[in-house]
Amino acid sequence: MPPGLVIFDCDGVLVDSETISLSVMLSVLAEAGCVLTVQEGYAHFLGKSLGSVGEWLKRERGVTLTDALLAEMRHRLLSRFEADLQPIPGVAEAITALDLPVCVASSSQPDRIRLSLRVTGLLPLFEPQIFSATMVANGKPAPDLFLLAARTLGVDPADCVVIEDSPAGLTAARAAGMRAVGFVGGAHAEPANLRLEVEKLAPESIIDTMADLPAVLRGLG
């Protein structure tokens, strides 16, 4: 049987946003006196909710994400997205070819998810099945968000397949009892050393082009 639900992460899977997001975050943090390398940023922020990022910054760097910092980060990020954000190549065609129920489950806030999908032309493929970490108590790597999506759409977690680029997301999928496909084709894959990090978590398959996704999911069925 084919999967009952395919759950897509958004950033780095549907939209090629991770290099933009990290650039903005590191710039704002540096202006606040917290200088991090690109490698540190990917290692500690990739795929994680803003709450998890804030906890790490407070614990490891003594930096509090104040309302002013968050507002500046948000303003710059959404402006960059409106101007520069692109979809992952071939993702719309791959989703259409699946002919399966799909949804989005992202660590980002709901308005950012919808903006990302709108400017890249992907929103009609998912609306209204969009789930944000703001809807659950614990973001990725906890399984809460994926379990919420499955429960809301009436699908057994064992019948779900998650498409993720981040170790946090793949960990969440495993904790939710779901199969996973690791995607390592975003612009951030090389600077984040993504393939190696994804391989460590041994998902059912790893792809670097969305054109391969339909065949991979048929194989999982």
Side-chain angles (χ1 to χ4, degrees):
M1 293 292 292
L5 177 65
V6 183
I7 304 176
F8 286 85
D9 179 38
C10 184
D11 295 293
V13 172
L14 297 174
V15 300
D16 212 356
S17 57
E18 294 292 5
T19 56
I20 299 173
S21 299
L22 188 63
S23 172
V24 169
M25 178 171 280
L26 295 184
S27 176
V28 172
L29 288 173
E31 291 168 16
C34 177
V35 177
L36 298 170
T37 66
V38 168
Q39 289 72 24
E40 287 173 321
Y42 281 127
H44 299 295
F45 303 159
L46 185 64
K48 296 183 179 177
S49 67
L50 197 55
S52 297
V53 169
E55 290 172 5
W56 184 87
L57 286 168
K58 181 73 171 178
R59 182 179 66 251
E60 301 295 334
R61 295 293 188 270
V63 173
T64 299
L65 287 179
T66 63
D67 289 345
L69 276 178
L70 289 171
E72 181 60 22
M73 209 174 287
R74 174 185 171 81
H75 170 71
R76 293 191 199 180
L77 183 63
L78 297 188
S79 296
R80 286 282 306 277
F81 277 9
E82 288 278 10
D84 301 327
L85 188 61
Q86 297 294 318
I88 291 292
V91 71
E93 294 83 356
I95 293 166
T96 302
L98 293 181
D99 195 28
L100 292 170
V102 297
C103 71
V104 177
S106 168
S107 294
S108 296
Q109 295 182 329
D111 58 343
R112 172 176 157 179
I113 301 169
R114 283 188 166 82
L115 183 148
S116 297
L117 297 177
R118 174 179 60 77
V119 300
T120 55
L122 300 175
L123 187 59
L125 297 174
F126 293 100
E127 189 75 77
Q129 313 300 354
I130 296 172
F131 300 91
S132 162
T134 61
M135 300 174 178
V136 293
N138 303 294
K140 305 171 190 177
D144 304 29
L145 182 58
F146 292 147
L147 291 173
L148 172 66
R151 184 169 62 249
T152 301
L153 299 178
V155 181
D156 190 303
D159 291 332
C160 298
V161 177
V162 173
I163 316 301
E164 266 284 358
D165 68 312
S166 73
L170 292 169
T171 300
R174 176 172 293 174
M178 299 177 180
R179 293 172 292 173
V181 173
F183 177 69
V184 295
H188 63 301
E190 184 174 346
N193 201 19
L194 201 55
R195 180 173 286 275
L196 178 61
E197 296 303 315
V198 166
E199 286 174 348
K200 291 177 183 177
L201 292 165
E204 276 66 22
S205 185
I206 300 174
I207 60 174
D208 57 17
T209 175
M210 279 296 171
D212 292 338
L213 183 61
V216 165
L217 290 183
R218 284 194 296 272
L220 294 181

